[in-house]
Amino acid sequence: MINPGTRDSWIGVLGGGQLGRMLCLEARRMGYKVLQWTGGDVSGAAYLADLVLEAPFEAAAALDRFVHRVRVATVEFENIPGDLLEEIGRTLPVRPGAGAVTTCQNREREKTFLAAHGIPCADFHVVSSCQELEAGLQAIGGAAMLKTAEFGYDGKGQRVISGETPAEDLPALWADFGAGRAVLEEKVDLKAELSVLVARGPEGQVVTYDPAENQHCNQILDISIVPARLPDGVLSEAREIAVSIAEAFEYVGVLAVEFFLAGDGRLLVNELAPRPHNSGHHTLDACATSQFEQQLRAVSGLPLGDTTLLAPAVMWNLLGDLWIDEATPPDWSPVLGTPGAKLHLYGKTQARPGRKMGHVTFLGATREEALERASACRRAFGLPPVE
Ligand SMILES: Nc1ncnc2c1ncn2[C@@H]1O[C@H](COP(=O)(O)OP(=O)(O)O)[C@@H](O)[C@H]1O
Ligand SMILES: [Mg+2]
């Protein structure tokens, strides 16, 4: 157990993005110290840690400093080399463990793991050649999505293939996609998307948060609504599935499970994130325990926190598209003038289209009030209201 506030209550965080930043903010509030190993130059998001290592993840001297300073290691980003996690694991607890993180790094391993545990997911086929792509498309028998096995995020490394694509077009399509291995999955007729955050402690204690209803724009999360506007039966089933995944991994920490609700009523797991998640950012303002505090509690072996939603919330992601130029944000007055709106910016100095620069949480006495506040603000920035 790592009790916060002692001289050596150091948490080691691997990765250098905004999730690490928000983890640092919560860690500082609670009296932990954070050593963040970013693996390279970072955008500014990391500089809230007590100590930052920018060395590449291969650097032996950095590994030495890291393991000598911290009591437990965690990740804020899943693409940390698995052999590094295993190496750290020889000296310290790594939570979540290398097995869970490396499974979630790779869609092929992730889908295979889910299928092996009987977790419902969209029909999928691992493909490593044009012949396998053609066979997979035939087996799916309709529109499909081709996704690279590794390093995809925010819809990158994905391509929709229409069910009417002629077989003679496939060689060029496969060559152009340029992945050695990929996962081909049925294109689901989406009724809704939702996600569940589950936290599990080292002794197996488990808590879940209220599921979030998620809306994407250009495959990037745009809006999360909590409580979700979905039937109770769907929400409780999603929570149960999330717990069973955490248990199957013997997971320690916060795990995010993304789901599709299909038009035909199927609830399918889309993907997993072995860390706090964008769709859980509202927990900072709207829940008794934020997902970042929960991560610190879980990896430290402390009692898990109360996940109660204290107020209905709508989270809006702020992308770089809103910026006037790469260094100039818009005037935030419409947000700051809205009751119940909380602005979070991640300290990134360069805005780019599609880049996550911050988010706003809108709280309301009711979900409808939170939705109205979010819609009014979006209109002020020339965006459509939340549907
Ligand atoms: N099989 C699918 N059917 C329908 N929509 C999909 C499918 N796969 C992905 N999408 C859409 O693209 C979004 C991003 O895909 P996802 O697999 O979660 O990748 P990532 O979030 O890593 O970019 C999903 O949230 C969903 O809106
Ligand atoms: Mg996703």
Side-chain angles (χ1 to χ4, degrees), residues 78 107 110-111 122-123 143-147 151-158 160 184-190 193 214-221 258-260 268 270-272 275 277 356:
E78 55 271 40
R107 284 190 201 274
E110 186 173 271
K111 294 272 188 201
D123 183 17
M145 306 232 0
L146 187 61
K147 303 182 175 183
F151 302 119
Y153 71 98
D154 289 344
K156 293 188 174 64
Q158 297 195 11
V160 180
L184 181 76
E185 61 184 46
E186 75 175 287
K187 184 163 189 305
V188 178
D189 164 31
L190 295 177
E193 293 191 64
N214 300 325
Q215 299 181 351
H216 294 77
C217 185
N218 300 324
Q219 290 171 300
I220 305 176
L221 184 66
E258 294 180 15
F259 293 88
F260 295 147
L268 306 168
N270 170 29
E271 60 169 356
L272 310 176
R275 50 169 169 79
H277 191 257
K356 290 173 180 167

Side-chain angles (χ1 to χ4, degrees), residues 35 37 53 57-70 84 87-88 91-92:
L35 168 52
W37 186 359
L53 288 178
F57 288 130
E58 295 71 35
L63 173 63
D64 201 52
R65 281 189 70 189
F66 187 84
V67 297
H68 282 96
R69 178 65 68 121
V70 308
L84 174 64
E87 182 66 41
I88 295 171
T91 319
L92 300 169

Side-chain angles (χ1 to χ4, degrees), residues 247-328:
E247 282 170 350
F249 277 128
E250 296 186 31
Y251 195 89
V252 180
V254 171
L255 170 74
V257 183
E258 294 180 15
F259 293 88
F260 295 147
L261 180 61
D264 57 11
R266 288 175 302 159
L267 180 63
L268 306 168
V269 172
N270 170 29
E271 60 169 356
L272 310 176
R275 50 169 169 79
H277 191 257
N278 196 167
S279 66
H281 288 353
H282 68 281
T283 61
L284 280 166
D285 301 306
C287 290
T289 308
S290 76
Q291 60 171 347
F292 303 101
E293 174 173 346
Q294 198 70 276
Q295 176 79 338
L296 292 163
R297 287 172 177 251
V299 305
S300 302
L302 294 175
L304 297 181
D306 175 9
T307 59
T308 303
L309 183 74
L310 302 173
V314 173
M315 190 280 313
W316 171 34
N317 255 348
L318 302 173
L319 302 185
D321 311 60
L322 285 171
W323 265 236
I324 291 152
D325 61 46
E326 62 169 35
T328 315

Side-chain angles (χ1 to χ4, degrees), residues 229-253:
R229 297 168 298 181
L230 294 167
D232 286 345
V234 169
L235 302 182
S236 52
E237 192 185 336
R239 286 169 107 128
E240 279 163 28
I241 292 173
V243 169
S244 69
I245 297 171
E247 282 170 350
F249 277 128
E250 296 186 31
Y251 195 89
V252 180

Side-chain angles (χ1 to χ4, degrees), residues 114-156:
L114 293 170
H117 287 84
I119 308 283
C121 41
D123 183 17
F124 75 93
H125 302 265
V126 176
V127 296
S128 58
S129 66
C130 185
Q131 287 74 12
E132 286 174 359
L133 173 63
E134 191 174 345
L137 281 169
Q138 253 167 22
I140 289 171
M145 306 232 0
L146 187 61
K147 303 182 175 183
T148 53
E150 295 191 303
F151 302 119
Y153 71 98
D154 289 344
K156 293 188 174 64

